[in-house]
Every structure is written in structure tokens, then in C-alpha cells.
Amino acid sequence: MLKNKYGYFDAKKREFVITDPRTPRPWFNYMWNDRYAGLISHTGGGFSYLDSPRDNRLTRMRYNSLPWDRPGRYVMVKDTESGEYWSLSWAPTLNVNYDLYECHHGMGYTRIITEYKGIRGEITYFVPRDETGEIWKISLTNLSERPRNLEIYAFTELLMGNALNDLINQPNDKHFTDIHFDKESQSLVATRRYWVLNKKVSVIQPNIDWKYILQFASTLDVSGFDASLDTFIGKWRSEANPLSVETGEMHHTEITAGDPVAALQSKVKLEPGNTLDFSILMKVSEKESAKLSDINSWKSQTFIEGKLSALQQYWQDYFSVLQVETPDEKVNTMLNTWNQYQAAVTFDMARNSGYYHGGLLFGTGMRDQFQDILGMVMVEPERVRKRLLNALQFQFNDGSTLHNFFKLAGTGERTRHSDTPLWIPFGLIKYFSETGDASIFEETVPYHDEGEGTVCEHMVRAMDYAISETTERGLPRIMNGDWNDTLDHIGPKGKGETIWGAFFLGYILKEAVSFFDFRKETVQVKKYSQAYKTLTKTINDLAWTGTWYLRAFRDNGQPVGTPEDDQGQIFLNAQTWSVISGMATPERGNTALKSCLDQLETPYGMQICRPAYHRIDDTVGLISRCVPGKKENGAVFNHASAWFVLAALMNGQIEDAYRIYQKMLPVNSGTDIDRYETEPYVFSEYVTSPEHPTQGQASHSWLTGSAVWMLYIGYGYLLGIRPVPGGLLIDPRIPADWDKVNITRKFRGKTLHIRIHNPDRVNMGVKSMTVNGQSHDSQVLDPEKYDGRELDVEVRLSDE
Ligand code: IFM
């Protein structure tokens, strides 16, 4: 079993179980559906929102706060005999020593189990798949031998509206809250009498209502309530010791101004050995059509159980699309569960709503969105299709794009990052390769400024725009940065050039050529093949240093990333993409990757560049203002490190690729989890490199492009089962000591049971392949050519 000192993986239940709450950071999970989402830490901390974490936040979480993850969704139990009270999620009453504490972070739910003074509490937090609300499902068991009189307090701090405004204008914002207790539905009914929907910070406010009401209810009889944070918590106190809990007196405050809380009290008696099941409900409805009594239907145990099992069924179906069995338990754990799950989270949360991403600034990044489909597209292609069509609205007529957009505001920022438009063809071709759905290219989508075009036109405009934004000598202008956001001052005058961007453009051109070739569109094939050829020559003429490729040229023509530089000497992306794009000659590709291994390999993966910038360099940008060894300034930036794994696999350096892949797995962090700090079940954006005293420390977990890339590279290149326009390409590139791999993959309406045999212990080379017992000549399998829903695929590797 995989474990560390704070917990272990339960592979069967797909849970990470935390057994000691004193983790080095709060360890989070997500519970969400298409509209309603929440973060939940292993202590019950976190926040919820509807549609947009910036514009429509429901509950509050304070950033930069101590303790770390406050507030959250708390249920406290008080023993009326002793007066002692404790929380069912450890926080906020941290100092209690429980006889048992377990937090089970599972798929879309988090269950926290505690035992204290003979009372066992189990609280399961989840968001139903099809409701705008959340449920805290609770069981209390009396393990002691005497009857217990208990008071139960459930509470959460409300925000209701614009979270950015709440942060900067809370003393004024609190004049618009409105909460009362509805006797009929026995629920607290909360709303706000205005809604800030500005696209930026502004003193001008729109004259509109918050469109929703939020109801907070219990399935138990309510003996008291409070809507005012001040009266519930009391003066000079915190959520760790609320006055109302201490005194047992709720104030029944209904507020029309003030800081809002939703707090309910219930009183119960538990006989020895008895269990009481109840739930706390939070439901959001549109104000105009809301019927307060609707929450009553949520109160039945059947409803609650039904919603929980529907959620479990959803995830069971989700994982049935891809399951693997390799000799490496860590790879299995990541690919079968956590990596897929994290990919689903990034699909919906982008780089926006997390503990490290406050949900106020980024919205959905265009480039992130078109990459983040890589996991979800296998499972819910229709949802991905809709998402792609939606995102295309943020492309301009000339092919350029907004850099990011906000769901409710309907617009975002135009930052002129050079790579962003090119992720459009990237995502669309990947979508097509998975689904074979050519109809998407005929859909019409408006441009963000004027006019409209088919999806195919959108894609072509993105590429043509990128080709047109090249300098006289034919390299892409870096503009305000490329994938590396922090290389943002290399080309302020419009002359600076990106070498990584050139390889990326080359990769997209190559992909476009195969795509148009598949569609038999010869004009496009010719056009983009020519562009690829010309660009390949230009890069190789201008950017090769003899040992690796340069990263960029500044406005004044000075190169970035030369062997002579004493900082920012070598950049990983320029080397890896020289191979991924197929633009490096085999000799240069080998040399470039060897330079990466010599210069950039660390115990945690590959550094993004080295040496990190120790002096500020105004002609490079933010990268050099960040401390050395962290983030883009020389950390092991997992997204970029993943691309090394990809390049090495493509280059036939399988053992190197596998070594780096393994080093990057968060599961490995168990060896020194106190140093690593973040959740061991998901990738973090980066791990501090040896160039910083905190080396080995991870940060910005969950919302990172490495989630989808490590998944895609893992199943698509390492195990080598990869969608291409013509079907599924079978080209495993596995460690030589793996004798066999089994894969179940649903693909274009069929279930494929793939068995890879490696009797000669080689890394790669498909010697023979059979489908349903019949020999199959090509490595590309088109399942639509076969009858029946199940296909047995036998693959034999050999270097003969
Ligand atoms: O490429 C970006 C990404 O869009 C957001 N996180 C940081 C990456 C590197 O700068």
C-alpha cells in the first residue's frame, strides 16, 4: 500500500485517507458539478461558489489567513453535561485530541471521521451532480455506555456575490445583506440586495440585485439560529470558540446588515450504541422563481442517499473509460484514479479556484482551456465540445484571442501572449482525434469583435495569425510572453522572438498537416507543409548554439539562453519542443536532450531553466524578479518537466523518460512529505529546485497543466495507446523490465481490452498485433471497422 506519515492510498475505494490532521499544509479536495463548486480541506475548510468563484462566491474563505484554511463548513458537537464541544472536522477546535481522526478524500466527496469522548462522528461533504447546492451528510454514534445529551451547531460564513469586492470593500458591502429564518421550511434564507458584476475594480456599481437566494437547513429540528457573525461568534472570539456554542444560547438574529453567517442549533439525545443520521443542506435558487419549500424535498434520507449514489455512479462510469495494470503500483494509482480525477478538476477549475489560486484574478485561461480537455475528452466528449465552442467566442476576427475570460462577465483580458491562439488548433485536433467528430468543424461561432466563422475557419485564422506575427527573418514574435508567462519583457518593442514559440508553431503546423491530409484538403496540406519546412530551416539556422537551442531573442537581437550566459543559460522547453515538433535533426535532438539531462535533472524532475536568475534582468521580465529556484525561475515546473518525458519518449530514451516521470509523481513525495508539503495525490505546479534553500517543496497544487499532460503522456506515449485522426495508435514505450501491461480503454463507442506482452524485455517496437484473434498490420486501429462492442487486442513487443 502506498502511504506516507500522514495517510495512505485506498486504491479500491479511490480515496486518500489522512490519519493525522497535522499535515504540512491543508490538503484539499473538490466537490462540484457543472455550476456549483466547492473546495474542501481535510479539516472542513474551504469555500463554495456558483458559476464563478470571483463573481458569485457563496461562502467565505480568508486568504493569507492563520490558521490556514479558515473558515469552512463546520459542525460542532457539544456535550451538555460536561459543556465540552468539538468539531466533526478537527478544525476549528484544533486542540482537541481525538481518539480517531480520518479524512477520506474521495471522488467528489470528502468524509471526515472522528471519535471523541465516546461519540463517533462521520461527516460526508458532497455536491450532487445535478443540483445547485451541497449536502453535509452526518452520522453520530454513541459509543459510550450512557445516554448523551448533545447540542449540534452547523455553521458557515456567507459571502453571496463578488469575492473581489468582498475583499476590498467588505465594510460597505455588509450593508446589503439580508437574512431571515423561514419558519415553514425551517431554513435560514440569505440574499444580498445588490450585486457587483464589474469586470474590474471600480467605484461605479451596477444597480442590480444578487440574483439568488441561499438556503441553509438541517434535517433535524432546529432549536436556534443565527445569521449574524458578530452575535454567533461573539466579540474577541473566533470560530474556534463561538460564544453561542459555549453558552448554548442562539440569538435568533435576522440581519439586514452585517457580516453574515448561517448557523443552526439542534438538540438531540443519543442512547448508548445508537446512531443518528442527519444532514445539513445548502441550496441556491434563482430569486425570481425560488420556492422556499422546495428544500423540504432535500430533507428525505432517500433523496440524500440517492444523490450520493448518483455521484458515486458518475465516477465509476468516468473511470471505466481508462484503466491500466502495469507492474508499477505508483503509475497505476496515478493513471487509474488521481491523475484522471485531477484532470477533471482542471477542466472545470482551470487555474482559477483553488487554495493557491484565489479565484479572483485568472478566470479561465484560453491556453489552459484548450489543453485541459485532454482528460475529459475521453469521458464526456459532448461537454468538451460545448466548452470548445464556448471558448472560441473569445477569439478575434484576426485570429488572435483574449488571454483569459470570465464565465459570468463574458469577457476577459487581451494580453497578447504569442502562443495563446495556437492552443485552439491544438485542442480541436485532439478533440477530433479522440472522437472522430468532424461535425464540430462546420459549427459557426461568432468572433469576439465582429463577424463569425466556422470552427475550421477559427482554427485556420489562429494559425494564419501566428504565421503572420513573425519577424522579417521568420521567427514568431514573443510579444508579451509565450507559454512561459514570466518571459514578458523580452519583446516589448515587438521585435523580440521566441524559439520555444517557433517550435510550438512548428508542432501545430505538423499536426495541422496530418489533420488536413486525413481530410484530403490538399491546399491546406501544401500551405502548412511549406510553412513548417521554412520555419524548420530558420530555427536551425538561427537558434542552435552547438549544445542546445536558444530560448529567445530580445528586441535588440541579443539571444536568451546561451552557453555564455551566467543565468538563464539553458531553458528546458526549447529543447524538448525541438524534438516534439520534429524540427531538430536527430543529432541535434539527441544533443539537446542530453544537455537537459546534464544540466537540468534534479531529484524531483527537470528544472525549467538553469542557472536561475539571481540578478534582475529587465530585458527578460518577471522570471528574473522571482526568487531563484521557485516557479518559472528555475523550479521543477511540472508542466514543462512533463514535456521532457514526452520528448524523451518520442526520442526513444524510454528509461530516461520513465525515470523523470517517476520522480515527478506526487506519490513519491512520501519519502519526505514534510519537505514536499502539498497533497501527495495530485501534481503541484512546481517543486522548488536545488537552487533554493527549500528545495523539494511543492506549491500550487491541483490547478496545473501537468495534470492533463502527465495523464496524456502516461497513457498515450508511455503505455502508447494514443488517439490520432485515423483511430488509436498503438506504440508502447515502456521500461524494459515490464513484462506485460493490460489496458481497458473505451474509444469511439467500443471497449478495447489491450494486452501488451514484452517477453524480450525491450523498450519499444511492435512486433505483432492481433484484434479479436486476427492479425492487424497497421499500428493504427480504427475500432469502427469492427463489429461488436468489445475488442481484444494483443500486442507483442520485440526488437527483432
Ligand atoms: O503557461 C502558464 C499557464 O497558462 C499558467 N500557469 C503558468 C504557466 C507558465 O507560465
Side-chain angles (χ1 to χ4, degrees), residues 351 357 362 365-368 371 403 419 423 482-487 573 608 631-632 637 639 643 685 703-705:
R351 309 294 168 271
H357 299 82
F362 298 109
M366 278 294 266
R367 76 154 81 91
D368 303 322
Q371 291 171 81
H403 185 62
D419 64 312
W423 293 103
D482 58 25
W483 170 88
N484 188 329
D485 288 329
T486 63
L487 295 178
N573 285 357
I608 189 170
K631 280 219 145 233
E632 284 95 332
F637 206 91
H639 195 157
W643 287 334
E685 184 197 61
L703 306 184
T704 155

mmCIF file of all heavy atoms in Angstrom, residues 351 357 362 365-368 371 403 419 423 482-487 573 608 631-632 637 639 643 685 703-705, ligand 1:
data_model
loop_
_atom_site.group_PDB
_atom_site.id
_atom_site.type_symbol
_atom_site.label_atom_id
_atom_site.label_comp_id
_atom_site.label_asym_id
_atom_site.label_seq_id
_atom_site.Cartn_x
_atom_site.Cartn_y
_atom_site.Cartn_z
ATOM 1 N N ARG A 351 -7.177 27.546 -13.908
ATOM 2 C CA ARG A 351 -6.164 27.932 -12.899
ATOM 3 C C ARG A 351 -6.809 28.944 -11.976
ATOM 4 O O ARG A 351 -6.221 29.931 -11.584
ATOM 5 C CB ARG A 351 -4.918 28.570 -13.548
ATOM 6 C CG ARG A 351 -4.305 27.786 -14.661
ATOM 7 C CD ARG A 351 -3.698 26.461 -14.187
ATOM 8 N NE ARG A 351 -3.381 25.639 -15.346
ATOM 9 C CZ ARG A 351 -4.261 24.789 -15.898
ATOM 10 N NH1 ARG A 351 -5.483 24.612 -15.408
ATOM 11 N NH2 ARG A 351 -3.900 24.086 -16.964
ATOM 12 N N HIS A 357 -4.899 29.517 -5.849
ATOM 13 C CA HIS A 357 -5.445 30.381 -6.897
ATOM 14 C C HIS A 357 -6.766 30.879 -6.337
ATOM 15 O O HIS A 357 -7.750 30.150 -6.342
ATOM 16 C CB HIS A 357 -5.727 29.603 -8.181
ATOM 17 C CG HIS A 357 -4.508 28.961 -8.786
ATOM 18 N ND1 HIS A 357 -4.001 27.776 -8.359
ATOM 19 C CD2 HIS A 357 -3.706 29.352 -9.798
ATOM 20 C CE1 HIS A 357 -2.940 27.450 -9.084
ATOM 21 N NE2 HIS A 357 -2.738 28.395 -9.964
ATOM 22 N N PHE A 362 -7.729 35.111 -12.413
ATOM 23 C CA PHE A 362 -7.382 34.481 -13.684
ATOM 24 C C PHE A 362 -8.564 34.136 -14.589
ATOM 25 O O PHE A 362 -8.394 34.068 -15.796
ATOM 26 C CB PHE A 362 -6.560 33.213 -13.440
ATOM 27 C CG PHE A 362 -5.253 33.488 -12.747
ATOM 28 C CD1 PHE A 362 -5.037 33.111 -11.442
ATOM 29 C CD2 PHE A 362 -4.242 34.155 -13.420
ATOM 30 C CE1 PHE A 362 -3.828 33.378 -10.807
ATOM 31 C CE2 PHE A 362 -3.036 34.434 -12.789
ATOM 32 C CZ PHE A 362 -2.830 34.043 -11.479
ATOM 33 N N GLY A 365 -8.144 30.558 -18.471
ATOM 34 C CA GLY A 365 -7.111 30.900 -19.453
ATOM 35 C C GLY A 365 -7.423 30.195 -20.771
ATOM 36 O O GLY A 365 -7.771 29.016 -20.775
ATOM 37 N N MET A 366 -7.329 30.920 -21.877
ATOM 38 C CA MET A 366 -7.594 30.291 -23.184
ATOM 39 C C MET A 366 -6.634 29.135 -23.411
ATOM 40 O O MET A 366 -7.025 28.042 -23.791
ATOM 41 C CB MET A 366 -7.402 31.311 -24.311
ATOM 42 C CG MET A 366 -8.582 32.207 -24.555
ATOM 43 S SD MET A 366 -10.031 31.308 -25.186
ATOM 44 C CE MET A 366 -9.848 31.502 -26.943
ATOM 45 N N ARG A 367 -5.347 29.385 -23.174
ATOM 46 C CA ARG A 367 -4.391 28.312 -23.470
ATOM 47 C C ARG A 367 -4.614 27.134 -22.536
ATOM 48 O O ARG A 367 -4.464 25.980 -22.930
ATOM 49 C CB ARG A 367 -2.956 28.827 -23.405
ATOM 50 C CG ARG A 367 -2.370 29.049 -22.045
ATOM 51 C CD ARG A 367 -0.854 28.932 -22.061
ATOM 52 N NE ARG A 367 -0.176 30.113 -22.506
ATOM 53 C CZ ARG A 367 0.241 31.107 -21.708
ATOM 54 N NH1 ARG A 367 0.005 31.062 -20.407
ATOM 55 N NH2 ARG A 367 0.895 32.120 -22.195
ATOM 56 N N ASP A 368 -5.000 27.440 -21.298
ATOM 57 C CA ASP A 368 -5.222 26.352 -20.346
ATOM 58 C C ASP A 368 -6.440 25.531 -20.760
ATOM 59 O O ASP A 368 -6.419 24.310 -20.749
ATOM 60 C CB ASP A 368 -5.410 26.915 -18.937
ATOM 61 C CG ASP A 368 -4.216 27.758 -18.509
ATOM 62 O OD1 ASP A 368 -3.083 27.388 -18.848
ATOM 63 O OD2 ASP A 368 -4.409 28.810 -17.857
ATOM 64 N N GLN A 371 -5.885 23.002 -23.435
ATOM 65 C CA GLN A 371 -5.086 21.853 -23.001
ATOM 66 C C GLN A 371 -5.875 20.984 -22.024
ATOM 67 O O GLN A 371 -5.761 19.765 -22.028
ATOM 68 C CB GLN A 371 -3.802 22.319 -22.293
ATOM 69 C CG GLN A 371 -2.804 22.992 -23.216
ATOM 70 C CD GLN A 371 -1.665 23.635 -22.442
ATOM 71 O OE1 GLN A 371 -0.731 22.967 -22.037
ATOM 72 N NE2 GLN A 371 -1.746 24.940 -22.237
ATOM 73 N N HIS A 403 -6.687 36.496 -23.622
ATOM 74 C CA HIS A 403 -5.793 35.571 -22.940
ATOM 75 C C HIS A 403 -6.582 34.705 -21.951
ATOM 76 O O HIS A 403 -6.278 33.543 -21.742
ATOM 77 C CB HIS A 403 -4.724 36.368 -22.199
ATOM 78 C CG HIS A 403 -3.690 35.504 -21.569
ATOM 79 N ND1 HIS A 403 -2.875 34.681 -22.306
ATOM 80 C CD2 HIS A 403 -3.347 35.298 -20.273
ATOM 81 C CE1 HIS A 403 -2.062 34.026 -21.495
ATOM 82 N NE2 HIS A 403 -2.347 34.372 -20.260
ATOM 83 N N ASP A 419 1.620 32.653 -27.828
ATOM 84 C CA ASP A 419 1.239 31.251 -28.070
ATOM 85 C C ASP A 419 -0.257 31.013 -27.992
ATOM 86 O O ASP A 419 -0.762 30.024 -28.527
ATOM 87 C CB ASP A 419 1.903 30.337 -27.037
ATOM 88 C CG ASP A 419 1.409 30.640 -25.624
ATOM 89 O OD1 ASP A 419 1.382 31.835 -25.258
ATOM 90 O OD2 ASP A 419 1.035 29.703 -24.888
ATOM 91 N N TRP A 423 -3.192 27.385 -29.254
ATOM 92 C CA TRP A 423 -3.763 26.265 -28.500
ATOM 93 C C TRP A 423 -5.144 25.899 -29.047
ATOM 94 O O TRP A 423 -5.673 24.827 -28.751
ATOM 95 C CB TRP A 423 -3.803 26.586 -26.999
ATOM 96 C CG TRP A 423 -2.416 26.675 -26.412
ATOM 97 C CD1 TRP A 423 -1.728 27.805 -26.087
ATOM 98 C CD2 TRP A 423 -1.527 25.582 -26.109
ATOM 99 N NE1 TRP A 423 -0.475 27.485 -25.596
ATOM 100 C CE2 TRP A 423 -0.337 26.128 -25.592
ATOM 101 C CE3 TRP A 423 -1.633 24.183 -26.221
ATOM 102 C CZ2 TRP A 423 0.748 25.336 -25.196
ATOM 103 C CZ3 TRP A 423 -0.553 23.394 -25.817
ATOM 104 C CH2 TRP A 423 0.616 23.980 -25.313
ATOM 105 N N ASP A 482 5.166 34.047 -23.888
ATOM 106 C CA ASP A 482 4.598 32.876 -24.565
ATOM 107 C C ASP A 482 4.076 31.943 -23.491
ATOM 108 O O ASP A 482 3.627 32.436 -22.444
ATOM 109 C CB ASP A 482 5.615 32.243 -25.532
ATOM 110 C CG ASP A 482 6.926 31.814 -24.862
ATOM 111 O OD1 ASP A 482 6.916 31.550 -23.636
ATOM 112 O OD2 ASP A 482 7.949 31.733 -25.573
ATOM 113 N N TRP A 483 4.148 30.631 -23.689
ATOM 114 C CA TRP A 483 3.638 29.728 -22.629
ATOM 115 C C TRP A 483 4.220 30.126 -21.279
ATOM 116 O O TRP A 483 3.539 30.085 -20.262
ATOM 117 C CB TRP A 483 4.012 28.277 -22.965
ATOM 118 C CG TRP A 483 3.727 27.365 -21.806
ATOM 119 C CD1 TRP A 483 2.535 26.739 -21.552
ATOM 120 C CD2 TRP A 483 4.607 27.046 -20.728
ATOM 121 N NE1 TRP A 483 2.638 26.038 -20.378
ATOM 122 C CE2 TRP A 483 3.889 26.203 -19.855
ATOM 123 C CE3 TRP A 483 5.921 27.374 -20.416
ATOM 124 C CZ2 TRP A 483 4.455 25.689 -18.687
ATOM 125 C CZ3 TRP A 483 6.484 26.864 -19.248
ATOM 126 C CH2 TRP A 483 5.753 26.030 -18.405
ATOM 127 N N ASN A 484 5.495 30.520 -21.288
ATOM 128 C CA ASN A 484 6.114 30.984 -20.053
ATOM 129 C C ASN A 484 5.706 32.441 -19.841
ATOM 130 O O ASN A 484 6.284 33.360 -20.417
ATOM 131 C CB ASN A 484 7.634 30.845 -20.149
ATOM 132 C CG ASN A 484 8.298 31.129 -18.819
ATOM 133 O OD1 ASN A 484 7.806 31.930 -18.028
ATOM 134 N ND2 ASN A 484 9.421 30.483 -18.578
ATOM 135 N N ASP A 485 4.682 32.620 -19.005
ATOM 136 C CA ASP A 485 4.122 33.957 -18.770
ATOM 137 C C ASP A 485 5.158 34.960 -18.288
ATOM 138 O O ASP A 485 4.973 36.163 -18.424
ATOM 139 C CB ASP A 485 3.035 33.877 -17.690
ATOM 140 C CG ASP A 485 1.777 33.197 -18.187
ATOM 141 O OD1 ASP A 485 1.488 33.300 -19.379
ATOM 142 O OD2 ASP A 485 1.092 32.556 -17.370
ATOM 143 N N THR A 486 6.200 34.446 -17.668
ATOM 144 C CA THR A 486 7.136 35.356 -16.997
ATOM 145 C C THR A 486 8.281 35.803 -17.913
ATOM 146 O O THR A 486 9.147 36.560 -17.485
ATOM 147 C CB THR A 486 7.720 34.705 -15.729
ATOM 148 O OG1 THR A 486 8.467 33.553 -16.120
ATOM 149 C CG2 THR A 486 6.616 34.316 -14.760
ATOM 150 N N LEU A 487 8.279 35.355 -19.144
ATOM 151 C CA LEU A 487 9.228 35.906 -20.132
ATOM 152 C C LEU A 487 8.505 37.065 -20.820
ATOM 153 O O LEU A 487 8.273 37.068 -22.023
ATOM 154 C CB LEU A 487 9.644 34.841 -21.144
ATOM 155 C CG LEU A 487 10.442 33.664 -20.573
ATOM 156 C CD1 LEU A 487 10.755 32.632 -21.649
ATOM 157 C CD2 LEU A 487 11.749 34.138 -19.937
ATOM 158 N N ASN A 573 12.140 24.048 -22.233
ATOM 159 C CA ASN A 573 11.103 23.965 -23.281
ATOM 160 C C ASN A 573 11.668 24.042 -24.701
ATOM 161 O O ASN A 573 11.134 23.418 -25.617
ATOM 162 C CB ASN A 573 10.086 25.099 -23.132
ATOM 163 C CG ASN A 573 9.130 24.858 -21.989
ATOM 164 O OD1 ASN A 573 9.188 23.817 -21.348
ATOM 165 N ND2 ASN A 573 8.270 25.816 -21.716
ATOM 166 N N ILE A 608 13.093 24.002 -15.061
ATOM 167 C CA ILE A 608 12.592 24.693 -16.259
ATOM 168 C C ILE A 608 13.709 25.487 -16.934
ATOM 169 O O ILE A 608 13.725 25.667 -18.149
ATOM 170 C CB ILE A 608 11.387 25.578 -15.889
ATOM 171 C CG1 ILE A 608 10.695 26.147 -17.112
ATOM 172 C CG2 ILE A 608 11.752 26.673 -14.926
ATOM 173 C CD1 ILE A 608 9.374 26.833 -16.816
ATOM 174 N N LYS A 631 9.012 28.643 -8.917
ATOM 175 C CA LYS A 631 8.144 28.967 -10.055
ATOM 176 C C LYS A 631 8.921 28.891 -11.374
ATOM 177 O O LYS A 631 9.808 28.086 -11.537
ATOM 178 C CB LYS A 631 7.486 30.321 -9.833
ATOM 179 C CG LYS A 631 6.290 30.227 -8.894
ATOM 180 C CD LYS A 631 5.192 31.143 -9.398
ATOM 181 C CE LYS A 631 3.825 30.637 -9.188
ATOM 182 N NZ LYS A 631 2.976 30.590 -10.328
ATOM 183 N N GLU A 632 8.627 29.826 -12.294
ATOM 184 C CA GLU A 632 9.267 29.748 -13.605
ATOM 185 C C GLU A 632 10.756 30.059 -13.530
ATOM 186 O O GLU A 632 11.493 29.813 -14.473
ATOM 187 C CB GLU A 632 8.603 30.715 -14.590
ATOM 188 C CG GLU A 632 7.253 30.261 -15.125
ATOM 189 C CD GLU A 632 6.082 30.827 -14.338
ATOM 190 O OE1 GLU A 632 6.251 31.109 -13.115
ATOM 191 O OE2 GLU A 632 4.988 30.997 -14.912
ATOM 192 N N PHE A 637 9.251 22.862 -12.805
ATOM 193 C CA PHE A 637 7.903 23.291 -13.188
ATOM 194 C C PHE A 637 7.282 22.087 -13.889
ATOM 195 O O PHE A 637 7.667 21.722 -15.000
ATOM 196 C CB PHE A 637 8.027 24.506 -14.121
ATOM 197 C CG PHE A 637 6.834 25.392 -14.085
ATOM 198 C CD1 PHE A 637 6.766 26.460 -13.188
ATOM 199 C CD2 PHE A 637 5.767 25.177 -14.942
ATOM 200 C CE1 PHE A 637 5.653 27.292 -13.150
ATOM 201 C CE2 PHE A 637 4.655 26.000 -14.900
ATOM 202 C CZ PHE A 637 4.600 27.065 -14.008
ATOM 203 N N HIS A 639 4.700 21.135 -15.477
ATOM 204 C CA HIS A 639 4.141 21.180 -16.831
ATOM 205 C C HIS A 639 5.282 21.033 -17.856
ATOM 206 O O HIS A 639 5.215 20.221 -18.789
ATOM 207 C CB HIS A 639 3.433 22.533 -16.978
ATOM 208 C CG HIS A 639 2.501 22.669 -18.130
ATOM 209 N ND1 HIS A 639 1.490 23.602 -18.125
ATOM 210 C CD2 HIS A 639 2.416 22.056 -19.317
ATOM 211 C CE1 HIS A 639 0.829 23.536 -19.270
ATOM 212 N NE2 HIS A 639 1.380 22.607 -20.008
ATOM 213 N N TRP A 643 6.851 17.723 -20.392
ATOM 214 C CA TRP A 643 7.211 17.762 -21.813
ATOM 215 C C TRP A 643 8.585 17.139 -22.052
ATOM 216 O O TRP A 643 8.857 16.659 -23.146
ATOM 217 C CB TRP A 643 7.174 19.209 -22.332
ATOM 218 C CG TRP A 643 5.775 19.742 -22.477
ATOM 219 C CD1 TRP A 643 4.636 19.008 -22.697
ATOM 220 C CD2 TRP A 643 5.351 21.116 -22.428
ATOM 221 N NE1 TRP A 643 3.543 19.848 -22.784
ATOM 222 C CE2 TRP A 643 3.951 21.141 -22.629
ATOM 223 C CE3 TRP A 643 6.026 22.326 -22.228
ATOM 224 C CZ2 TRP A 643 3.211 22.323 -22.645
ATOM 225 C CZ3 TRP A 643 5.278 23.501 -22.250
ATOM 226 C CH2 TRP A 643 3.899 23.502 -22.453
ATOM 227 N N GLU A 685 1.981 22.624 -9.212
ATOM 228 C CA GLU A 685 2.534 23.353 -10.352
ATOM 229 C C GLU A 685 4.051 23.252 -10.393
ATOM 230 O O GLU A 685 4.651 23.032 -11.422
ATOM 231 C CB GLU A 685 2.120 24.822 -10.280
ATOM 232 C CG GLU A 685 2.572 25.623 -11.485
ATOM 233 C CD GLU A 685 2.523 27.120 -11.238
ATOM 234 O OE1 GLU A 685 3.230 27.608 -10.316
ATOM 235 O OE2 GLU A 685 1.778 27.812 -11.950
ATOM 236 N N LEU A 703 -4.227 22.864 -9.556
ATOM 237 C CA LEU A 703 -4.549 23.539 -10.815
ATOM 238 C C LEU A 703 -3.289 23.782 -11.629
ATOM 239 O O LEU A 703 -2.657 24.839 -11.543
ATOM 240 C CB LEU A 703 -5.299 24.845 -10.521
ATOM 241 C CG LEU A 703 -6.539 24.640 -9.645
ATOM 242 C CD1 LEU A 703 -7.297 25.941 -9.462
ATOM 243 C CD2 LEU A 703 -7.464 23.558 -10.207
ATOM 244 N N THR A 704 -2.921 22.807 -12.385
ATOM 245 C CA THR A 704 -1.698 22.870 -13.175
ATOM 246 C C THR A 704 -1.869 22.050 -14.443
ATOM 247 O O THR A 704 -2.510 20.991 -14.433
ATOM 248 C CB THR A 704 -0.488 22.340 -12.367
ATOM 249 O OG1 THR A 704 0.508 21.859 -13.283
ATOM 250 C CG2 THR A 704 -0.854 21.190 -11.450
ATOM 251 N N GLY A 705 -1.256 22.532 -15.506
ATOM 252 C CA GLY A 705 -1.315 21.825 -16.785
ATOM 253 C C GLY A 705 -0.641 20.469 -16.717
ATOM 254 O O GLY A 705 -0.866 19.615 -17.588
HETATM 255 O O1 IFM B 1 1.608 28.603 -19.163
HETATM 256 C C1 IFM B 1 1.304 29.144 -17.928
HETATM 257 C C2 IFM B 1 -0.106 28.771 -17.579
HETATM 258 O O2 IFM B 1 -1.007 29.254 -18.540
HETATM 259 C C3 IFM B 1 -0.489 29.308 -16.211
HETATM 260 N N1 IFM B 1 0.466 28.864 -15.237
HETATM 261 C C4 IFM B 1 1.849 29.217 -15.525
HETATM 262 C C5 IFM B 1 2.278 28.659 -16.870
HETATM 263 C C6 IFM B 1 3.733 29.030 -17.160
HETATM 264 O O3 IFM B 1 3.963 30.379 -17.098
#
